[in-house]
Every structure is written in structure tokens, then in C-alpha cells.
Amino acid sequence: MEIQTSNARPAELDVHALAVAVFKDEQADEGFLKDLDAATGGLVRAVLEAEELKGKEGETAYLHLAAAGGGAKARRLLLVGVGERADYGAAQVSQFGGAAVRYLRARNVKTVGLVPRLEVGDAGRAAQATVEGALIGLFEPDKYRTIDKEERAVERVVVVAEGADAEALRRGAERGRIVGESVNFTRDLANEPGGYLTPTVFAERAQEIANEFGLEIDVLDQPRLEAEGMGAFLSVARGSEQPPKMMVLKYMPEGRAAIEEGEEYLALVGKGITFDTGGISIKPSENMELMKYDMTGGATVLGVMRAVAQLKPPIPLLGVVPATENMPSGRATKPGDVVRAMSGKTIEIINTDAEGRLILADAVSYAKKLGATRIVDMATLTGAVSIALGDVNTGIMGTDQELINEIIEAGRAVGEKFWQLPLDKEYTKQIKSDIADIKNVGGRKAGTITAAAFIKEFADGTSWAHLDIAGTAWGDEAKPFRAKGPTGVAVRTLLNFVERSARKAGGDGEGR
Ligand code: BES
Ligand code: MN
Ligand code: ZN
């Protein structure tokens, strides 16, 4: 799909359909809508006066312009309600872009002018959010369909902000393209069946982005994992025929070779369970097919690295993704077994279905070994987080309140919600083992927190935050702006967070 920008009058735009954001209770008697009304022969005013559309979020009115006259070049006009003007930020702009292109694609429209109407705000930011939303909106998880596949395609979108700085618009749209494509990259991986996306194929996908966008990459295979002493990670992989892999990706700002003494080194660590059967503590069959998405944390890390390699912020970034299946077999780890993690801590495995924390324990230790001073891990870690927060908020916990605050703030800026759960040291008592240093489950109470308390034992002193995306990484139903299935949650937040960190480090990371 071609992505263009324009600072012309929307009515002048040579596209099949124009999609225009309309605020709550807005009338066509002044400003932009008045001009649009004139260009559509009074249609906009008529629709608003008749209250066919009141500007509530998600409302749409689709108008045929051909017979109306008035001078607009477009043949169709889609009015999209975007809610209160005062609440209109990057998240709403993105949803406007997504809802508009999904609606228009369904009507076989090939060329679209998107008018997000952030005249007051920063045009570059508006263009970025619009393009992100459009790309995310057009993603369909139907690559394995041969019938009823979405064959229609929007061929060209033009983001229009009348009178805006052309260069700011163009750069914003380009950033939006990078970010939107990277979110969809993560969603595509999350969607892949476990039978196709094995740890080996997952690592090949990492290798591909490293080659394409210029990232340093190292993939640790079984012998090297053994040599590193990653007994926690390997205990999960034991039951599988598929060899485990640990992907390590490095981004360095241009012209730099190594981490400097005393420099902050941010690491993203993502759970990469390519299929979670539960192992010997096997899961019930119902909904088990969804456990193909248990590598979404890892896919999120790859998505962020893929974007960072193109956006080129002035700070280094490390990505670590431990990948394995969690399978039952004659060789699988048994409840009651004791394993030794890379850090030296011993772990009593009570439940083999609490495998994510085991692989993250060694991945976090490895990130520290490589010099990470700030670690953010992300994982579809617990069913309990959906009970607590549903699919609205991602659970966040950690040892560094400033880091947690920054991530929450970054989320707010891009429209992704995080809710902090407490991580008092009392919770750690729940994971004391009778025979080893710790055990891998903490009982029924506070399941999301005790899972984090487990990882904390390995983050051990480093600045660390943990994102439990089990509830937010998968959308059970389609939204006007997004297909059902993988959401790509946290990719945009983390990219915004990386930019903030770059600004704080005194670099020139661009705002949004
Ligand atoms: N991958 C699951 C968590 C999960 C469950 C994600 C449901 C999405 C939906 C994780 O490995 C797991 O099985 N967690 C267990 C932990 C328990 C055994 C302490 C859980 O949440 O039930
Ligand atoms: Mn599990
Ligand atoms: Zn799991």
C-alpha cells in the first residue's frame, strides 16, 4: 500500500473516498466542517443537523457525493465520530485511521484520503498515529484461508492536514509506517500456529529482520545454553522434540561499537513459548489452541527491535528471547524435580505449566551478563492477570518505580493502558520451597504477583519492570479499528519508552 501525505484542502484531493474525523456534537457552521460542507453541496450540514451522526466514538456516516455537487473531487465521504475534542489524542487518531480504512476497504474503496483533524496539535504526530492506525486496521489474520479471504485492498492512503508543514507530515507518516508495520510483524508471529512457528523458525524470523534492518544477532543453541548453565530454561525444553533457541539482538546507534563505561543499557526480554501444553501438568483441552500465542512477549521484543533498527534512536538496545515449546513426554521435567538456574539459584518445579517464569529467569540472568542495567520483560505469563484486569489493562510490576512510571506514561501517550500491581516482599514468602531456594508457583492467591516475584529473584538488584500481557495480547472480538486476534500490545508503548529514554540520555530521540 502506498502512503502519502498532503497539506492541501481535502476537497482538492484526488481520491475515491475522504474519511473525516467528526467531534462530539460538532456542527458544520464553522471552521473545517463548514468548508467541507460547502465542498459537498451542503451534505455534511444536513447529516449533522438530522443527527444521523453525533460524533460519538466509532459512529460512521457514509455519503455518496457524485450527485451532490459542491466541488469535492472525492466521490465518497465517510464521517467518523471520534468523541470529545478535549480527549482527542494519539490513541483516538490511530483508531480513527483504523476504523476509516476498515470501513472503506469493506466497500471496495482503493484510494483514501484520511483527515484526522489535529489542526491544533502537531501535524507530524497526527500523521504518524493515523498511518499506524491505518496499517494496524488493515491487518487480517487470514493468511491460511483459501476461501472467504479478504481480497479487497486499499491501494493508497493520503494523510491530509491542510496547511501543515509538508516535511513534518512526511516524516510523521514515515515513522507511522515503520511502527505500524512492526506492530503487524508482531501480530503475524503471534498468530502463527505452534506446528509451524517452532523455536527454530522463530529464530530464523529474528535472523531475517536482523539481516534486513542491520541488527547484530546471536542465536544460542542447546549446547551453548548448557554451557551457560541455563538449567531453568532447559528444564522447560526437555519435553520437546524441538531444540530450544535463545535469540539475542543488539541495536547500536550509528557510529558506535560498544557500550560505554557507566552507560545505561536497556534490555527487552520476551517470553517465547511457541506452544504451551502445560507439560506434565497438562492443560485442559478447551481453548488450548490459543497457547500458540504464548510467544507474544518474544514477538513483541522482535517487533520493537525491528522498528528501532529503522527509527535509529541514539541509545543502544538489547533484545533477548528465550524460545521453546512446553511439552509432555517421557523426557519431560516432572513436578517435584529440582533444577539449577543460570544464576545458581535452585528451583523446585511444582507445576510444569508455570514455565514462562522459568525461561525468563535465565533470560534475565543472560541480559545481566551482557551488561544490561535496565530490564523490561514481557510475557503472556498468567491467566490470573485476565481475572484481575481483563483485556483492558496490561499488568505492570517491578523493582524500579521510576521505570514503571515511565512505561505507564509512554503507554498513555500511545493509548495503551497499564495498571501497576504491588510487589511487596511479603509475596515472596509464597514461593519459598521446602527443599530448594524457591518453587515455581505460589498457590492460588495473587497469581500474577507471585509470578513476578519469581522473576524478581533473578532481576536481583537491577532496575527491572515486568509486563504481564496475557490478558491484552489477544482480542477475542473484532473492533471497528482492528481485526480480532493478536493485538500487538506494548510494541508502541515500548517504542515510545525507548524514545523517552533517549531524550533523557541527552540524545535527540524524537517526540510523538
Ligand atoms: N501461558 C500461560 C498463561 C496463560 C494462561 C496465558 C491463559 C493466557 C491464557 C502460563 O504458562 C501458565 O500456564 N500459567 C499458569 C500458572 C499456574 C500454573 C501457576 C496459569 O496462569 O494458570
Ligand atoms: Mn504454562
Ligand atoms: Zn505459558
Side-chain angles (χ1 to χ4, degrees), residues 477-502:
E477 55 210 56
K479 306 259 187 187
F481 53 88
R482 186 187 72 209
K484 85 180 211 187
T487 61
V489 73
V491 173
R492 288 192 275 182
T493 296
L494 289 164
L495 287 170
N496 187 277
F497 169 68
V498 167
E499 279 162 15
R500 280 161 195 267
S501 305

Side-chain angles (χ1 to χ4, degrees), residues 271 273 275-276 278 283 291 294 326 353-356 380-382:
K271 171 177 175 181
I273 296 289
F275 195 81
D276 183 11
K283 287 181 180 295
M291 283 302 120
D294 211 15
N326 184 23
D353 197 12
E355 84 295 341
T380 48
L381 204 62
T382 66

Side-chain angles (χ1 to χ4, degrees), residues 194 197-200 202-203 220 222 225 230 232-247 270-277 291-292 294-295 298 321-327 355-356 358-360:
L197 194 89
T198 59
T200 303
F202 200 0
L220 284 75
Q222 173 105 17
L225 298 170
M230 296 195 197
F233 179 22
L234 290 167
S235 77
V236 177
R238 280 187 66 86
S240 171
E241 299 282 328
Q242 294 291 336
K245 304 282 175 198
M246 184 169 304
M247 302 158 232
K271 171 177 175 181
I273 296 289
T274 58
F275 195 81
D276 183 11
T277 67
M291 283 302 120
K292 67 178 185 179
D294 211 15
M295 33 53 71
V321 181
T324 176
E325 294 180 332
N326 184 23
M327 298 287 284
E355 84 295 341
L358 293 169
I359 73 170
L360 290 170

Side-chain angles (χ1 to χ4, degrees), residues 411-431:
R412 201 169 285 141
V414 303
E416 294 183 329
K417 297 182 188 198
F418 293 80
W419 194 263
Q420 185 176 3
L421 299 179
L423 193 52
D424 310 77
K425 61 181 185 305
E426 287 91 325
Y427 292 107
T428 305
K429 291 204 186 97
Q430 284 177 238
I431 52 168

Side-chain angles (χ1 to χ4, degrees), residues 274-333:
T274 58
F275 195 81
D276 183 11
T277 67
I280 297 299
S281 315
I282 198 162
K283 287 181 180 295
S285 313
E286 198 174 313
N287 297 329
M288 206 208 271
E289 70 281 359
L290 183 60
M291 283 302 120
K292 67 178 185 179
Y293 94 128
D294 211 15
M295 33 53 71
T296 304
T300 304
V301 172
L302 297 192
V304 173
M305 298 300 301
R306 181 189 184 283
V308 160
Q310 297 170 79
L311 296 170
K312 302 188 189 300
I315 55 167
L317 183 65
L318 177 65
V320 180
V321 181
T324 176
E325 294 180 332
N326 184 23
M327 298 287 284
S329 86
R331 298 190 65 249
T333 297

